Amino acid sequence: PSGPWKGTYIPDHGEVWTLPWDCRIEDERIKFRVHGIKFPYSLEKTVEFIRDDCFRMSYRVENLSCFDLYSIWCPHPFFKVDEPTTHVILPPSVKEVISTCGLDNKLGAYGRIHSWPVTNLEDGTPYDISDVKDPPYPEKCEKFYAVQTPEEGWCALHNTITGYAVGLSYPVEQLPYLGVWEGIIDGMYVTALEPVTGSLDRLDLAVLAGKAGMIPARGTVEWYLNITLGVVEQISRISKEGEIFS
């Protein structure tokens, strides 16, 4: 953090997930609210269905101080992947991704850039980054971001055999960076699709690179995230209202 909070310790994965939230039901919406402890902010989340196949999580964060507040918000939704025919689908504007995992993995060291979706490993072997489970390896842990801001504002998981799909859509103006995590937890392959306000998985590096989210002094920022379920042959795009088009 910068300003009056410079040097303040931030828990792993940030402060928000460590705090208890207030929760209430209003009509057909579930509303959550939390106040920061280490930093002066309040965050609200509203969850509601906008169609039978799509629900929306709307967010509003308020900076309660008279100083700009740098931050990173990340949804971190885990999706279990059972079938080896499941792929991460990113929009056409994504041509390169940057590895941000510090652990040993096939994408190499933090900061290495790869072509998307297929790259070459250090030994020259072609490797399809988008394929979640094939080829499998028992200690998989890969995290990467699109190098450039994906202008389309969507991403998805798609099983090319069954057609099952889960798609995320969001306002790219507020969530300009897109990360993906692929790995194994408790023996299960999981993938997290992560449209975020700041990139690189570290607030200090994001600020230096000009890729951190910022909540203006005494200001607010709002955004949303749609999650849509469907069965399609292929995914060509996802609308801002969460409609999946094949």
Side-chain angles (χ1 to χ4, degrees):
S2 59
W5 310 284
K6 186 175 183 179
T8 301
Y9 171 76
I10 302 176
D12 182 37
H13 285 67
E15 180 184 55
V16 167
W17 77 274
T18 68
L19 301 176
W21 291 57
D22 294 326
C23 176
R24 69 183 189 276
I25 297 175
E26 292 186 3
D27 299 324
E28 296 183 350
R29 300 179 178 89
I30 305 175
K31 294 195 172 185
F32 303 85
R33 185 180 178 91
V34 66
H35 289 270
I37 295 177
K38 291 178 177 290
F39 309 99
Y41 65 88
S42 66
L43 176 63
E44 299 174 0
K45 176 170 70 173
T46 301
V47 182
E48 61 184 322
F49 277 92
I50 60 174
R51 291 191 315 279
D52 289 345
D53 64 346
C54 178
F55 68 92
R56 171 173 291 179
M57 296 179 288
S58 302
Y59 296 85
R60 181 180 185 272
V61 63
E62 181 179 3
N63 180 353
L64 303 173
S65 79
C66 56
F67 298 90
D68 292 343
L69 178 60
Y70 286 107
S71 64
I72 293 178
W73 174 87
C74 175
H76 215 47
F78 278 4
F79 300 100
K80 181 183 176 184
V81 177
D82 291 321
E83 301 85 1
T85 51
T86 300
H87 288 75
V88 175
I89 309 297
L90 302 184
S93 65
V94 177
K95 306 297 184 184
E96 293 182 319
V97 297
I98 180 171
S99 174
T100 59
C101 183
L103 302 177
D104 185 30
N105 68 93
K106 290 189 177 182
L107 297 184
Y110 188 108
R112 184 176 177 187
I113 293 178
H114 295 269
S115 59
W116 173 269
V118 178
T119 189
N120 289 321
L121 302 180
E122 291 183 353
D123 62 2
T125 304
Y127 182 62
D128 187 349
I129 309 172
S130 72
D131 198 325
V132 176
K133 203 173 179 179
D134 187 23
Y137 59 97
E139 297 179 356
K140 184 172 187 178
C141 181
E142 297 174 354
K143 178 66 183 286
F144 51 87
Y145 284 87
V147 172
Q148 303 296 329
T149 296
E151 59 191 29
E152 298 89 342
W154 63 265
C155 55
L157 281 173
H158 184 228
N159 186 305
T160 56
I161 300 299
T162 65
Y164 293 142
V166 55
L168 278 62
S169 55
Y170 54 92
V172 71
E173 296 81 9
Q174 286 75 40
L175 304 176
Y177 308 104
L178 179 58
V180 179
W181 185 85
E182 299 179 20
I184 297 178
I185 296 179
D186 295 332
M188 300 180 296
Y189 281 84
V190 295
T191 295
L193 304 175
E194 301 178 343
V196 294
T197 61
S199 188
L200 302 178
D201 279 351
R202 283 180 50 179
L203 183 58
D204 56 345
L205 295 182
V207 171
L208 289 174
K211 294 186 175 184
M214 194 270 285
I215 312 165
R218 302 293 186 187
T220 62
V221 180
E222 298 183 18
W223 68 93
Y224 65 84
L225 179 65
N226 297 322
I227 299 183
T228 307
L229 303 178
V231 181
V232 293
E233 291 186 2
Q234 61 182 5
I235 299 175
S236 62
R237 67 183 179 92
I238 303 176
S239 73
K240 291 184 178 181
E241 296 301 317
E243 297 174 288
I244 300 177
F245 292 89
S246 59

